[in-house]
Amino acid sequence: MGRSSSSKDNFSVLVLASDLGIDARPFLTHQEPEHEESWHDCPSDLPSSEEQEFAHLDSLQFFRLESGSDKSGNRIFRIVGKYFQAIVISAELLKKYVFNKIRTELPEGPFCIVYMHSTVQTEDNNPGLTVLRWIYEELPSDHKDRLQAVYFVHPGIRSRLVLATLGRFFLSGGLYWKIKYVSRLQYLWDDIKKGQLEIPEFVQKHDDILEHRPLTDYGIEPDPLHLSQMPPTAYSFGRHDSGWSSREYMS
């Protein structure tokens, strides 16, 4: 091997013997400094887009694991309908978020859901029955089996009618028969001890209003504030379009 150079042109020649069995290509190609090759190993301080979205959903507090359990020993996932931003949260993001919460936070064993429907408004807070069924059907079978009950707080007459007439078609039997209607918080304490989950102040106030207007639950007394409103079925069933159609559930 020999090397010659010229100081004037800063030019060098590398000569390799052909019988040494050495591949000369690495010597003949331009190589970047080693530190530039490992740029992807450097940690990033910026969270991913999905992490940012999950952090935002966490801040809404519409779906969270409570520290307590019901009287049957089922851990409690609390859902507050009023806190859910249905207009800006897609069905796909909602499903990913729910799955992530269950996978990362739920301990082993059975669990239940306490859904607070108090003061839910049509356009703002309801994802639709087909979305709920889609999410439930996508759950692993062991998680479906571990879900023992869904306590539906402050359902109102419209909610009851919609679920009674159409719920069996849009919710699988495994979920439909787990729903327990709770018209007043005092009845919730039959299954869950006080202090086992946090009750938002507006839910308590709504409960107090219904105590003084009991016929509102049955659609007899006027409901000017729409406190027991359930989204119209035509709107509720097609809430989001995320690459799937509610028609498949009609077949």
Side-chain angles (χ1 to χ4, degrees):
M1 178 175 66
R3 180 190 296 265
S4 65
S5 62
S6 171
S7 58
K8 181 178 180 181
D9 299 323
N10 194 23
F11 177 77
S12 63
V13 178
L14 180 66
V15 180
L16 296 174
S18 61
D19 59 347
L20 293 180
I22 299 176
D23 186 357
R25 286 175 296 178
F27 299 95
L28 301 178
T29 57
H30 176 71
Q31 297 187 29
E32 296 293 337
E34 185 176 352
H35 69 277
E36 294 186 12
E37 294 289 339
S38 59
W39 61 269
H40 54 276
D41 295 328
C42 299
S44 174
D45 294 329
L46 296 176
S48 67
S49 175
E50 192 169 88
E51 288 174 335
Q52 290 178 326
E53 290 173 331
F54 286 176
H56 170 66
L57 296 181
D58 279 338
S59 69
L60 298 178
Q61 295 289 295
F62 74 88
F63 181 64
R64 77 179 194 189
L65 181 68
E66 297 289 306
S67 59
S69 305
D70 67 7
K71 292 183 178 180
S72 298
N74 306 313
R75 289 296 302 272
I76 301 171
F77 264 118
R78 188 194 74 172
I79 300 177
V80 181
K82 183 179 180 179
Y83 295 164
F84 180 66
Q85 299 177 347
I87 295 179
V88 297
I89 300 175
S90 69
E92 183 65 30
L93 176 59
L94 177 61
K95 186 190 78 168
K96 290 181 179 180
Y97 178 69
V98 169
F99 280 24
N100 181 71
K101 295 283 282 187
I102 293 176
R103 178 179 58 84
T104 60
E105 298 184 11
L106 182 66
E108 292 296 325
F111 69 101
C112 65
I113 292 174
V114 176
Y115 167 61
M116 300 179 182
H117 189 67
S118 320
T119 71
V120 163
Q121 297 298 313
T122 301
E123 296 84 1
D124 300 332
N125 316 121
N126 197 285
L129 284 180
T130 50
V131 173
L132 298 179
R133 168 171 174 155
W134 176 56
I135 293 175
Y136 178 80
E137 292 298 335
E138 291 287 319
L139 284 173
S141 58
D142 64 315
H143 286 82
K144 294 178 186 177
D145 295 338
R146 290 166 61 189
L147 176 59
Q148 301 299 304
V150 178
Y151 301 100
F152 196 135
V153 181
H154 295 151
I157 184 62
R158 297 178 187 177
S159 302
R160 290 176 181 268
L161 288 175
V162 169
L163 291 177
T165 56
L166 299 173
R168 297 186 187 186
F169 298 100
F170 285 88
L171 300 176
S172 66
L175 177 60
Y176 179 81
W177 295 110
K178 294 176 181 180
I179 298 176
K180 182 174 182 178
Y181 299 107
V182 184
S183 59
R184 297 291 184 276
L185 290 176
Q186 63 177 331
Y187 303 130
L188 184 64
W189 310 139
D190 292 340
D191 296 288
I192 302 175
K193 291 182 179 180
K194 289 185 177 181
Q196 295 297 301
L197 79 160
E198 181 181 346
I199 304 295
E201 183 178 358
F202 81 90
V203 174
Q204 183 62 64
K205 289 182 177 180
H206 178 71
D207 195 78
D208 295 338
I209 291 174
L210 293 179
E211 277 296 309
H212 293 88
R213 302 171 59 203
L215 296 181
T216 299
D217 285 337
Y218 304 98
I220 299 175
E221 185 173 346
D223 185 15
L225 300 179
H226 306 290
L227 297 177
S228 59
Q229 182 173 0
M230 179 71 179
T233 57
Y235 184 84
S236 176
F237 293 154
R239 190 67 181 86
H240 292 293
D241 180 11
S242 297
W244 57 275
S245 174
S246 61
R247 296 175 182 175
E248 63 188 25
Y249 299 124
M250 298 291 289
S251 58

mmCIF file of all heavy atoms in Angstrom, residues 35-58:
data_model
loop_
_atom_site.group_PDB
_atom_site.id
_atom_site.type_symbol
_atom_site.label_atom_id
_atom_site.label_comp_id
_atom_site.label_asym_id
_atom_site.label_seq_id
_atom_site.Cartn_x
_atom_site.Cartn_y
_atom_site.Cartn_z
ATOM 1 N N HIS A 35 -21.263 10.894 14.751
ATOM 2 C CA HIS A 35 -22.311 11.418 15.613
ATOM 3 C C HIS A 35 -23.577 11.774 14.856
ATOM 4 O O HIS A 35 -24.664 11.773 15.403
ATOM 5 C CB HIS A 35 -21.805 12.651 16.380
ATOM 6 C CG HIS A 35 -21.566 13.843 15.504
ATOM 7 N ND1 HIS A 35 -20.388 14.017 14.794
ATOM 8 C CD2 HIS A 35 -22.362 14.903 15.212
ATOM 9 C CE1 HIS A 35 -20.460 15.158 14.113
ATOM 10 N NE2 HIS A 35 -21.653 15.707 14.347
ATOM 11 N N GLU A 36 -23.466 12.026 13.535
ATOM 12 C CA GLU A 36 -24.642 12.342 12.750
ATOM 13 C C GLU A 36 -25.442 11.096 12.406
ATOM 14 O O GLU A 36 -26.595 11.164 12.069
ATOM 15 C CB GLU A 36 -24.227 13.075 11.466
ATOM 16 C CG GLU A 36 -23.623 14.449 11.728
ATOM 17 C CD GLU A 36 -23.368 15.189 10.441
ATOM 18 O OE1 GLU A 36 -23.868 14.724 9.393
ATOM 19 O OE2 GLU A 36 -22.695 16.220 10.472
ATOM 20 N N GLU A 37 -24.805 9.900 12.483
ATOM 21 C CA GLU A 37 -25.499 8.666 12.177
ATOM 22 C C GLU A 37 -26.462 8.262 13.288
ATOM 23 O O GLU A 37 -27.397 7.519 13.060
ATOM 24 C CB GLU A 37 -24.472 7.533 11.963
ATOM 25 C CG GLU A 37 -23.597 7.717 10.738
ATOM 26 C CD GLU A 37 -24.366 7.503 9.461
ATOM 27 O OE1 GLU A 37 -25.423 6.841 9.509
ATOM 28 O OE2 GLU A 37 -23.933 7.995 8.406
ATOM 29 N N SER A 38 -26.218 8.713 14.490
ATOM 30 C CA SER A 38 -27.015 8.260 15.634
ATOM 31 C C SER A 38 -27.954 9.342 16.146
ATOM 32 O O SER A 38 -28.276 9.378 17.312
ATOM 33 C CB SER A 38 -26.089 7.806 16.765
ATOM 34 O OG SER A 38 -25.239 8.880 17.148
ATOM 35 N N TRP A 39 -28.476 10.191 15.272
ATOM 36 C CA TRP A 39 -29.367 11.273 15.680
ATOM 37 C C TRP A 39 -30.670 10.740 16.266
ATOM 38 O O TRP A 39 -31.247 11.333 17.158
ATOM 39 C CB TRP A 39 -29.681 12.166 14.476
ATOM 40 C CG TRP A 39 -30.375 11.448 13.364
ATOM 41 C CD1 TRP A 39 -29.804 10.819 12.320
ATOM 42 C CD2 TRP A 39 -31.792 11.287 13.202
ATOM 43 N NE1 TRP A 39 -30.743 10.258 11.510
ATOM 44 C CE2 TRP A 39 -31.972 10.537 12.022
ATOM 45 C CE3 TRP A 39 -32.900 11.701 13.934
ATOM 46 C CZ2 TRP A 39 -33.230 10.183 11.558
ATOM 47 C CZ3 TRP A 39 -34.156 11.353 13.474
ATOM 48 C CH2 TRP A 39 -34.305 10.597 12.299
ATOM 49 N N HIS A 40 -31.113 9.567 15.738
ATOM 50 C CA HIS A 40 -32.384 9.034 16.192
ATOM 51 C C HIS A 40 -32.304 8.468 17.602
ATOM 52 O O HIS A 40 -33.321 8.172 18.212
ATOM 53 C CB HIS A 40 -32.853 7.932 15.241
ATOM 54 C CG HIS A 40 -31.833 6.857 15.038
ATOM 55 N ND1 HIS A 40 -30.821 6.977 14.121
ATOM 56 C CD2 HIS A 40 -31.650 5.668 15.657
ATOM 57 C CE1 HIS A 40 -30.063 5.898 14.152
ATOM 58 N NE2 HIS A 40 -30.551 5.083 15.078
ATOM 59 N N ASP A 41 -31.095 8.319 18.140
ATOM 60 C CA ASP A 41 -30.961 7.804 19.487
ATOM 61 C C ASP A 41 -31.119 8.885 20.537
ATOM 62 O O ASP A 41 -31.218 8.601 21.722
ATOM 63 C CB ASP A 41 -29.586 7.143 19.675
ATOM 64 C CG ASP A 41 -29.439 5.898 18.799
ATOM 65 O OD1 ASP A 41 -30.479 5.243 18.573
ATOM 66 O OD2 ASP A 41 -28.319 5.600 18.375
ATOM 67 N N CYS A 42 -31.137 10.114 20.104
ATOM 68 C CA CYS A 42 -31.243 11.211 21.053
ATOM 69 C C CYS A 42 -32.683 11.346 21.540
ATOM 70 O O CYS A 42 -33.608 11.429 20.734
ATOM 71 C CB CYS A 42 -30.814 12.534 20.401
ATOM 72 S SG CYS A 42 -29.099 12.514 19.830
ATOM 73 N N PRO A 43 -32.930 11.365 22.837
ATOM 74 C CA PRO A 43 -34.295 11.485 23.348
ATOM 75 C C PRO A 43 -34.881 12.846 23.032
ATOM 76 O O PRO A 43 -34.184 13.852 22.983
ATOM 77 C CB PRO A 43 -34.126 11.284 24.863
ATOM 78 C CG PRO A 43 -32.719 11.725 25.137
ATOM 79 C CD PRO A 43 -31.930 11.327 23.919
ATOM 80 N N SER A 44 -36.182 12.858 22.811
ATOM 81 C CA SER A 44 -36.877 14.114 22.524
ATOM 82 C C SER A 44 -37.672 14.549 23.739
ATOM 83 O O SER A 44 -38.300 13.750 24.405
ATOM 84 C CB SER A 44 -37.816 13.931 21.322
ATOM 85 O OG SER A 44 -38.587 15.084 21.118
ATOM 86 N N ASP A 45 -37.608 15.839 24.032
ATOM 87 C CA ASP A 45 -38.346 16.368 25.165
ATOM 88 C C ASP A 45 -39.801 16.656 24.820
ATOM 89 O O ASP A 45 -40.614 16.924 25.697
ATOM 90 C CB ASP A 45 -37.680 17.654 25.672
ATOM 91 C CG ASP A 45 -36.299 17.383 26.243
ATOM 92 O OD1 ASP A 45 -36.096 16.279 26.779
ATOM 93 O OD2 ASP A 45 -35.454 18.282 26.140
ATOM 94 N N LEU A 46 -40.149 16.610 23.527
ATOM 95 C CA LEU A 46 -41.504 16.921 23.104
ATOM 96 C C LEU A 46 -42.345 15.649 23.096
ATOM 97 O O LEU A 46 -41.956 14.648 22.518
ATOM 98 C CB LEU A 46 -41.492 17.538 21.696
ATOM 99 C CG LEU A 46 -40.786 18.890 21.574
ATOM 100 C CD1 LEU A 46 -40.767 19.328 20.108
ATOM 101 C CD2 LEU A 46 -41.475 19.931 22.440
ATOM 102 N N PRO A 47 -43.520 15.668 23.735
ATOM 103 C CA PRO A 47 -44.384 14.490 23.722
ATOM 104 C C PRO A 47 -44.975 14.267 22.341
ATOM 105 O O PRO A 47 -45.078 15.187 21.527
ATOM 106 C CB PRO A 47 -45.476 14.844 24.731
ATOM 107 C CG PRO A 47 -45.512 16.337 24.725
ATOM 108 C CD PRO A 47 -44.091 16.778 24.493
ATOM 109 N N SER A 48 -45.357 13.031 22.039
ATOM 110 C CA SER A 48 -45.964 12.731 20.757
ATOM 111 C C SER A 48 -47.340 13.376 20.677
ATOM 112 O O SER A 48 -47.916 13.804 21.673
ATOM 113 C CB SER A 48 -46.102 11.211 20.588
ATOM 114 O OG SER A 48 -47.042 10.700 21.521
ATOM 115 N N SER A 49 -47.868 13.424 19.441
ATOM 116 C CA SER A 49 -49.189 14.016 19.236
ATOM 117 C C SER A 49 -50.244 13.271 20.039
ATOM 118 O O SER A 49 -51.134 13.883 20.633
ATOM 119 C CB SER A 49 -49.528 13.993 17.748
ATOM 120 O OG SER A 49 -50.834 14.452 17.519
ATOM 121 N N GLU A 50 -50.159 11.945 20.062
ATOM 122 C CA GLU A 50 -51.140 11.145 20.799
ATOM 123 C C GLU A 50 -51.042 11.393 22.294
ATOM 124 O O GLU A 50 -52.060 11.478 22.992
ATOM 125 C CB GLU A 50 -50.939 9.671 20.497
ATOM 126 C CG GLU A 50 -52.075 8.796 20.970
ATOM 127 C CD GLU A 50 -51.984 7.391 20.420
ATOM 128 O OE1 GLU A 50 -51.324 6.549 21.052
ATOM 129 O OE2 GLU A 50 -52.577 7.139 19.351
ATOM 130 N N GLU A 51 -49.839 11.539 22.800
ATOM 131 C CA GLU A 51 -49.665 11.825 24.221
ATOM 132 C C GLU A 51 -50.261 13.183 24.582
ATOM 133 O O GLU A 51 -50.856 13.352 25.650
ATOM 134 C CB GLU A 51 -48.184 11.781 24.593
ATOM 135 C CG GLU A 51 -47.591 10.376 24.599
ATOM 136 C CD GLU A 51 -46.093 10.389 24.830
ATOM 137 O OE1 GLU A 51 -45.458 11.426 24.508
ATOM 138 O OE2 GLU A 51 -45.553 9.388 25.315
ATOM 139 N N GLN A 52 -50.103 14.148 23.695
ATOM 140 C CA GLN A 52 -50.682 15.466 23.926
ATOM 141 C C GLN A 52 -52.201 15.392 23.942
ATOM 142 O O GLN A 52 -52.865 16.028 24.779
ATOM 143 C CB GLN A 52 -50.209 16.443 22.846
ATOM 144 C CG GLN A 52 -48.737 16.814 22.941
ATOM 145 C CD GLN A 52 -48.315 17.740 21.819
ATOM 146 O OE1 GLN A 52 -48.813 17.654 20.699
ATOM 147 N NE2 GLN A 52 -47.381 18.633 22.108
ATOM 148 N N GLU A 53 -52.764 14.611 23.011
ATOM 149 C CA GLU A 53 -54.216 14.470 22.965
ATOM 150 C C GLU A 53 -54.730 13.783 24.223
ATOM 151 O O GLU A 53 -55.746 14.185 24.793
ATOM 152 C CB GLU A 53 -54.607 13.678 21.718
ATOM 153 C CG GLU A 53 -54.388 14.439 20.418
ATOM 154 C CD GLU A 53 -54.617 13.575 19.197
ATOM 155 O OE1 GLU A 53 -54.408 12.344 19.295
ATOM 156 O OE2 GLU A 53 -55.014 14.107 18.155
ATOM 157 N N PHE A 54 -54.038 12.730 24.668
ATOM 158 C CA PHE A 54 -54.452 12.032 25.879
ATOM 159 C C PHE A 54 -54.353 12.946 27.101
ATOM 160 O O PHE A 54 -55.198 12.894 27.992
ATOM 161 C CB PHE A 54 -53.598 10.787 26.095
ATOM 162 C CG PHE A 54 -53.922 9.649 25.156
ATOM 163 C CD1 PHE A 54 -53.181 8.475 25.181
ATOM 164 C CD2 PHE A 54 -54.963 9.752 24.257
ATOM 165 C CE1 PHE A 54 -53.481 7.428 24.330
ATOM 166 C CE2 PHE A 54 -55.271 8.704 23.382
ATOM 167 C CZ PHE A 54 -54.525 7.537 23.428
ATOM 168 N N ALA A 55 -53.312 13.762 27.137
ATOM 169 C CA ALA A 55 -53.160 14.699 28.256
ATOM 170 C C ALA A 55 -54.315 15.691 28.286
ATOM 171 O O ALA A 55 -54.823 16.044 29.360
ATOM 172 C CB ALA A 55 -51.827 15.430 28.151
ATOM 173 N N HIS A 56 -54.738 16.137 27.110
ATOM 174 C CA HIS A 56 -55.883 17.055 27.049
ATOM 175 C C HIS A 56 -57.155 16.367 27.542
ATOM 176 O O HIS A 56 -57.929 16.946 28.315
ATOM 177 C CB HIS A 56 -56.086 17.546 25.623
ATOM 178 C CG HIS A 56 -57.366 18.302 25.411
ATOM 179 N ND1 HIS A 56 -57.629 19.527 25.993
ATOM 180 C CD2 HIS A 56 -58.485 17.984 24.694
ATOM 181 C CE1 HIS A 56 -58.829 19.938 25.649
ATOM 182 N NE2 HIS A 56 -59.372 19.016 24.873
ATOM 183 N N LEU A 57 -57.374 15.125 27.115
ATOM 184 C CA LEU A 57 -58.559 14.398 27.545
ATOM 185 C C LEU A 57 -58.525 14.130 29.051
ATOM 186 O O LEU A 57 -59.562 14.174 29.715
ATOM 187 C CB LEU A 57 -58.679 13.084 26.774
ATOM 188 C CG LEU A 57 -58.897 13.210 25.257
ATOM 189 C CD1 LEU A 57 -59.023 11.841 24.610
ATOM 190 C CD2 LEU A 57 -60.136 14.048 24.962
ATOM 191 N N ASP A 58 -57.348 13.866 29.579
ATOM 192 C CA ASP A 58 -57.217 13.688 31.035
ATOM 193 C C ASP A 58 -57.648 14.950 31.778
ATOM 194 O O ASP A 58 -58.275 14.881 32.839
ATOM 195 C CB ASP A 58 -55.769 13.340 31.404
ATOM 196 C CG ASP A 58 -55.449 11.867 31.206
ATOM 197 O OD1 ASP A 58 -56.387 11.044 31.187
ATOM 198 O OD2 ASP A 58 -54.265 11.536 31.075
#
